[in-house]
Amino acid sequence: MGRPRKRRAIAASSPQRSGVTPNTSLPLIDFDFSDLGVDGILQPGDWAAMNDVAFPSDPFTAGWPSVFDDPSTLQWDAQSQSAVPQIASNTASSLLSPFSFDSSHPPPSPPQPPILEPPCTCLPTLCHTLSSLQSLNPIFPLALSTLRSATSTVRLMLYCQTCSPSPPPNPLPPTTLPNTMLLAALIPYITTRYSQLLAAINTAAASCATKTLRVGEIGNPLLDTQHTGDARCPAAVEVELSAEEWRAMMRGVVRKDLVGADGKGGLVELVGLIGERQRLWHERAVENGCGWGGLKAKVPPEGEKPMCLRVVEMTRCAVEMVGAQ
């Protein structure tokens, strides 16, 4: 004997077919989809089509078709068969409806994030420079690398287009004031460390009678390719100097970092550029009647320099004093 055929689901409200007895004891389930939030997907006519389909309360005991049944043996009434494609067609058209909108009323565009200016690196660079200067051990010539890096920080802050814009706008941005004050604090600190380095050179010269240097000529095309940078460099020679000769030579190296050569370069030149910038800023502020951050510019009494130029002048005096030692 073969497997007994399960009873087929026949809608109670459909007309009776020949050879098939409808099961009128199956309850009709009335579906209410109003709480599911799908009103925009299914059309109003779909509810009636779906409610006309008889669903058994217990599909396994009431003869509901199994997924293991042969599809050719499943029988539906005519009304249920016609309702399925109608529901599928309406649902597909509803799912595509959000992509069609009235061109005269386009959807609002999302808000754009504000464009932020790139952050200025002057303050963190200054803090790192001050920290390295504080822990600096004044040993010649090892300390020169840190001091020259600190001088590069001064140049970076001088030409920073965020806190020291050029040409200066009107009014001057509030960042110009801390830029001036921080430079006025950094340059004397660098000058103090150079002064300590000069004192270390004097101490080293006083502790011996002679000093031996290993030197090499730079700029000679026949020798430039022969420098190896170690103790066995074939292009280097050893020179024995007296303590005073060594002292004068090493102090000349430090003096060049401070005052430059032939009036150009060095820390003094940077201080002069800062003074020129402050003079231009002050004149622009007096002409426009406003200074830092829109504050009213104060005109000093006749014959007196403004405060910003006096700070720069004191810084210049400190650098030149150390360079003349």
Side-chain angles (χ1 to χ4, degrees):
M1 294 178 64
R3 178 181 176 183
R5 180 177 299 177
K6 298 181 179 180
R7 288 176 293 179
R8 302 176 181 83
I10 304 299
S13 59
S14 59
Q16 183 176 359
R17 296 183 183 181
S18 60
V20 178
T21 303
N23 188 352
T24 57
S25 62
L26 297 180
L28 292 179
I29 303 176
D30 187 10
F31 288 89
D32 184 6
F33 293 91
S34 59
D35 295 335
L36 299 181
V38 294
D39 292 338
I41 298 179
L42 297 179
Q43 303 299 323
D46 298 339
W47 311 125
M50 294 186 66
N51 287 333
D52 290 339
V53 181
F55 292 94
S57 58
D58 189 353
F60 297 100
T61 60
W64 188 255
S66 171
V67 294
F68 300 102
D69 286 342
D70 185 0
S72 61
T73 62
L74 300 181
Q75 297 183 9
W76 297 82
D77 64 312
Q79 185 177 5
S80 300
Q81 291 179 356
S82 61
V84 173
Q86 178 184 359
I87 297 173
S89 176
N90 294 339
T91 304
S93 60
S94 301
L95 290 174
L96 296 176
S97 60
F99 297 93
S100 59
F101 54 86
D102 188 2
S103 59
S104 60
H105 300 284
S109 58
Q112 298 296 330
I115 300 177
L116 302 178
E117 296 182 357
C120 175
T121 60
C122 289
L123 184 57
T125 304
L126 174 70
C127 294
H128 176 73
T129 301
L130 292 176
S131 177
S132 61
L133 290 176
Q134 183 180 9
S135 59
L136 178 63
N137 192 0
I139 299 177
F140 184 86
L142 301 179
L144 286 177
S145 176
T146 302
L147 292 173
R148 289 169 179 171
S149 178
T151 303
S152 299
T153 301
V154 175
R155 189 179 300 274
L156 173 68
M157 297 179 62
L158 174 62
Y159 293 105
C160 177
Q161 290 300 312
T162 301
C163 60
S164 177
S166 179
N170 181 32
L172 294 174
T175 55
T176 55
L177 178 59
N179 180 273
T180 303
M181 297 294 104
L182 293 175
L183 284 176
L186 177 59
I187 295 177
Y189 204 175
I190 298 175
T191 305
T192 301
R193 291 305 188 186
Y194 270 112
S195 178
Q196 295 175 353
L197 190 59
L198 289 174
I201 293 175
N202 295 338
T203 303
S207 62
C208 61
T210 60
K211 284 281 190 179
T212 302
L213 293 181
R214 189 175 184 84
V215 297
E217 183 180 358
I218 298 177
N220 189 338
L222 299 177
L223 300 177
D224 287 345
T225 58
Q226 303 300 320
H227 291 290
T228 60
D230 55 14
R232 297 182 179 181
C233 178
V237 295
E238 292 184 356
V239 179
E240 186 173 337
L241 303 173
S242 65
E244 186 60 29
E245 290 174 338
W246 179 85
R247 174 180 175 274
M249 183 179 295
M250 299 304 106
R251 290 177 64 86
V253 174
V254 176
R255 187 177 296 108
K256 183 179 179 181
D257 284 1
L258 289 171
V259 300
D262 300 330
K264 296 181 180 179
L267 196 55
V268 172
E269 183 182 28
L270 289 178
V271 176
L273 293 175
I274 295 173
E276 183 65 22
R277 182 195 70 174
Q278 297 304 131
R279 184 190 62 80
L280 177 61
W281 283 1
H282 187 78
E283 291 178 355
R284 179 72 61 87
V286 172
E287 292 175 0
N288 299 325
C290 59
W292 286 302
L295 300 177
K296 184 177 181 180
K298 295 183 178 180
V299 180
E302 186 177 356
E304 292 187 8
K305 292 183 178 181
M307 177 60 68
C308 57
L309 294 181
R310 280 187 284 171
V311 170
V312 174
E313 188 63 27
M314 289 187 294
T315 304
R316 177 198 292 272
C317 293
V319 175
E320 293 179 344
M321 186 181 300
V322 174
Q325 291 181 1

